């Protein structure tokens, strides 16, 4: 029995994936999903790739303050 998988892009943040058993990263490596919803990194700076660790919040704050150069 297959489940419905949904994907939602968060503005300036991750992609939320609901209902997946696995996700495949850009290199083709499959990662097991153990939660009902997972956040996938879109900025590429997470220390836990492919999962989002919130680093985008720091980057966005630096860009907003002008100190992210």
């Amino acid at each position: 029995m297959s489940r419905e998988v949904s994907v939602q892009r968060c503005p300036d943040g991750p992609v939320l994936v609901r209902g997946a058993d696995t996700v495949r990263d850009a290199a083709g490596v499959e990662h097991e999903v153990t939660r009902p919803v997972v956040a996938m990194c879109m900025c590429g700076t997470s220390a836990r790739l492919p999962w989002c660790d919130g680093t985008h919040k720091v980057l966005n704050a630096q860009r907003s303050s002008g100190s992210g150069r």
Side-chain angles (χ1 to χ4, degrees), residues 12-54:
D12 297 323
V15 166
L16 300 179
V17 179
R18 290 177 173 82
D21 293 321
T22 60
V23 295
R24 187 172 301 155
D25 65 21
V29 177
E30 286 194 2
H31 300 269
E32 182 180 6
V33 174
T34 59
R35 298 176 180 207
V37 180
V38 292
M40 306 297 300
C41 177
M42 294 303 294
C43 69
T45 59
S46 172
R48 300 182 60 233
L49 289 173
W51 317 117
C52 175
D53 68 0

